[in-house]
Amino acid sequence: MRIVVLVSGTGSNLQSVIDAVADGSLPNVEIAAVGADKHDTYGVERSAAAGIETFVVNFKDYAERSEWNHELTEKCLSYEPDYVVSSGFMRIVGEEFINAFDGTYINTHPALLPSFPGAHGVRDAMAYGVKVTGCTVHIADAGVDTGPILRQEAVVIEDHDTEETLHERIKLVERRLLIATLADLAAK
Ligand code: GAR
């Protein structure tokens, strides 16, 4: 199973996938490439260090969102992936991309969707005052963190949590769910 992983930042969840592929825990998964929507992300840097092909389709280089979306779609298609994984990819992709990867675009989100979608899932859950949040791995459609849910797990919010401590605990679960989801998909 060939995957392209898209990142916008640190790529710590991506690193767990790189490690799982390297240590044989995901025997049928190949990371064909890692792409980002901006320059100088640690996600791309760590992928290059692991010998994985990388690319950047820099959002700010395009006057029109549709042009960026077209370029991103073409670039991802060029690797002939079975799945594209949004792992902390913080841009909404357009119709052309969604149509090209219909049902094969996977996203992870640090909240129990459909609650708290968007760029600040952890912060929004804390601000609301929920006592349990979690993470979701789902097939992404044209909405913001919407689409059929594949895996989900709860994480309890502790009184002493900050956004950072809670997000770190959520990410530990998120990594496990992402790897389990990829293993499931690769076994199909
Ligand atoms: C992850 O928690 C991911 O779920 C979240 O960004 C983080 C990326 O961390 N994505 C979203 O919020 C998407 N709406 P990482 O770069 O360290 O893997």
Side-chain angles (χ1 to χ4, degrees), residues 76-96:
C76 289
L77 281 172
S78 72
Y79 295 101
E80 301 184 347
D82 297 295
Y83 289 91
V84 177
V85 180
S86 155
S87 188
F89 188 60
M90 304 308 268
R91 295 240 181 240
I92 306 301
V93 292
E95 208 174 297
E96 183 182 359

Side-chain angles (χ1 to χ4, degrees), residues 9-14 87-88 90 108-110 118-119 145 167 171 174:
T10 320
S12 67
N13 289 355
L14 161 65
S87 188
M90 304 308 268
T108 74
H109 184 71
D145 298 317
H167 201 166
K171 282 191 190 183
E174 214 176 343

